[in-house]
Amino acid sequence: EKAERTPVWLFRQAGRHLPEYQAYKKETGCNFLQLLEDPKHVAECTMQPVRRYNLDAAILFSDILVVAQALNIEVTMPGGVGIQVPNPLASPAEVATRVPKNIDVQDKLSHVIASVKLIKTELDGKVPLIGFSAAPWTLMYYMVGGSSKKNQEVGERWLNEHPEESQVLLDILTDTVIEYTSAQVDAGADMMQIFEAMGEFISKESFYKFAMPCMKKIADELRRRHPNTPLLVFPRGATYSLADLQQVGYDIVTMDTQTPRAATREALSTAAKVSTPPNMMKQTSGVQGNFDVKFLKAGASTPEQVEAAVKDMLEELGAGGLIANLGEGLSGQEDPALVNAFVEAVHSVSDKMLK
């Protein structure tokens, strides 16, 4: 269906950059991970940006590592260094001794499923709700390396030196992600976003050998179970794979900040002409992204400069078949006034382009 204007939401739209989020944390006395444990907190944090900005979607307030937690892997947030796995798998033997072969996500992740239901009630049809999960490689990266900031080579080393145990771990993670995302859809999520957040730390060869088969299995199974639920994917740092992700069934593929815009559209179109994509519409996938978040940092731009950069993005990408978003998530240093300028500019500029 032809859009009247380009829809827009933002990676990490809830949380750190919002004064009301900081006030809510203070009021509740909860840190980020504690907020995630209570559906009332999750719903409030999910709703905050939807109240403040004229967004076209809400996204579940959660974290990529809840799946690791559900598999008995401890996750901490000591502050200032990002989220961490303090006791990563020390050896391949620990895949068998520390990671359960399967879990009941309705039990282990029941708080997330309850959160989705509560958010849907609170949204009351205002905008759709995007659910999400980390992709298997990204989960493995943290489970064996422990941090996004250090030990960045450990995951790739496992793939090269311990391919069998790595595959066992990835298979467990793939099945868990399928059950978790499917449960979110059953609870009311309208779309599903898969985040391959650590695509930067896997070689291209390993991505296609190990990560892509997991992504394909997820798309295949979610399409089988939920044929009318759009699937979005973001291989941050590995966007060379976007046309291939289209060809395994993702409806929307996401560009990071470095991804060339026009060349991406062309690659998707070319691939779809060679072979019909198995996505919902059986046609070229839409794209998502890839506004540079640096424009939104406090003091970095004026609203007029943000609008000019939005205009450049929309002229390069075209306003149709696009979900406007960022090339990476909000960091917490952004000015809400500039974030609002971005959202409003997407709507106003695209409205003129699509008339």
Side-chain angles (χ1 to χ4, degrees):
E1 143 185 10
K2 195 170 185 295
E4 293 177 5
R5 64 186 191 185
T6 302
V8 56
W9 67 280
L10 300 93
F11 298 126
R12 296 206 201 108
Q13 63 189 30
R16 288 175 286 189
H17 86 286
L18 292 174
E20 54 267 45
Y21 171 74
Q22 300 299 345
Y24 190 74
K25 271 176 73 180
K26 197 171 178 182
E27 178 194 325
T28 58
C30 294
N31 66 23
F32 171 67
L33 291 175
Q34 290 166 333
L35 289 173
L36 298 188
E37 292 166 9
D38 186 329
K40 288 198 303 296
H41 296 331
V42 172
E44 170 58 26
C45 294
T46 300
M47 293 300 295
Q48 285 178 348
V50 178
R51 294 186 198 117
R52 179 181 273 266
Y53 306 122
N54 188 19
L55 295 162
D56 295 296
I59 183 165
L60 172 69
F61 181 71
S62 186
D63 187 75
I64 57 174
L65 291 184
V66 295
V67 173
Q69 284 181 304
L71 290 163
N72 303 331
I73 300 294
E74 183 189 3
V75 174
T76 61
M77 201 160 191
V81 290
I83 202 154
Q84 307 223 312
V85 172
N87 300 299
L89 301 178
S91 71
E94 290 197 350
V95 173
T97 59
R98 286 181 59 192
V99 182
K101 285 190 172 57
N102 53 66
I103 58 165
D104 179 359
V105 297
Q106 296 286 355
D107 172 38
K108 287 282 197 171
L109 290 162
S110 59
H111 55 297
V112 184
I113 309 309
S115 299
V116 170
K117 292 176 181 175
L118 182 55
I119 294 161
K120 283 293 287 185
T121 300
E122 295 206 10
L123 281 170
D124 194 26
K126 182 184 178 187
V127 292
L129 174 63
I130 302 169
F132 79 88
S133 174
W137 155 252
T138 289
L139 291 162
M140 176 181 164
Y141 169 91
Y142 277 101
M143 288 170 69
V144 303
S147 167
S148 63
K149 306 279 194 290
K150 55 185 184 179
N151 303 327
Q152 294 170 338
E153 73 294 335
V154 175
E156 175 77 18
R157 191 164 69 232
W158 267 59
L159 297 177
N160 292 324
E161 295 178 7
H162 314 293
E164 289 179 16
E165 293 89 346
S166 294
Q167 190 61 60
V168 169
L169 179 55
L170 287 167
D171 287 345
I172 291 169
L173 291 167
T174 301
D175 290 343
T176 306
V177 167
I178 289 167
E179 296 307 322
Y180 174 50
T181 50
S182 185
Q184 289 181 58
V185 176
D186 287 338
D190 299 289
M191 296 178 271
M192 194 52 55
Q193 171 83 54
I194 306 296
F195 284 110
E196 190 68 282
M198 293 295 143
E200 182 182 349
F201 303 112
I202 182 172
S203 68
K204 190 171 182 178
E205 182 184 359
S206 293
F207 185 91
Y208 281 105
K209 182 177 179 184
F210 290 100
M212 184 62 87
C214 302
M215 305 291 267
K216 181 181 187 303
K217 186 176 179 185
I218 291 165
D220 285 346
E221 189 56 24
L222 290 179
R223 179 68 66 232
R224 187 184 71 78
R225 296 186 192 188
H226 309 286
N228 299 314
T229 300
L231 304 179
L232 298 76
V233 66
F234 186 9
R236 185 170 170 229
T239 57
Y240 52 78
S241 66
L242 293 182
D244 298 299
L245 287 163
Q246 167 185 272
Q247 295 307 113
V248 300
Y250 289 91
D251 301 290
I252 303 288
V253 297
T254 307
M255 303 171 293
D256 61 22
T257 311
Q258 278 70 48
T259 311
R261 292 166 176 167
T264 296
R265 287 281 207 190
E266 191 176 340
L268 294 170
S269 176
T270 300
K273 284 173 188 163
V274 173
S275 175
T276 303
N279 54 25
M280 271 175 67
M281 304 302 290
K282 304 290 186 286
Q283 64 185 31
T284 305
S285 296
V287 294
Q288 178 169 254
N290 70 337
F291 193 77
D292 194 332
V293 73
K294 74 181 182 189
F295 287 105
L296 307 182
K297 295 250 168 85
S301 312
T302 64
E304 292 75 22
Q305 288 168 322
V306 169
E307 181 171 356
V310 166
K311 193 162 184 281
D312 288 344
M313 178 181 79
L314 293 176
E315 283 175 351
E316 279 189 74
L317 279 171
L322 170 68
I323 297 174
N325 204 319
L326 307 173
E328 61 181 292
L330 294 169
S331 69
Q333 297 165 24
E334 293 77 20
D335 179 350
L338 294 176
V339 174
N340 188 61
F342 167 68
V343 173
E344 294 302 320
V346 167
H347 286 152
S348 62
V349 174
S350 66
D351 181 57
K352 292 178 192 134
M353 288 175 74
L354 290 168
K355 270 184 175 160

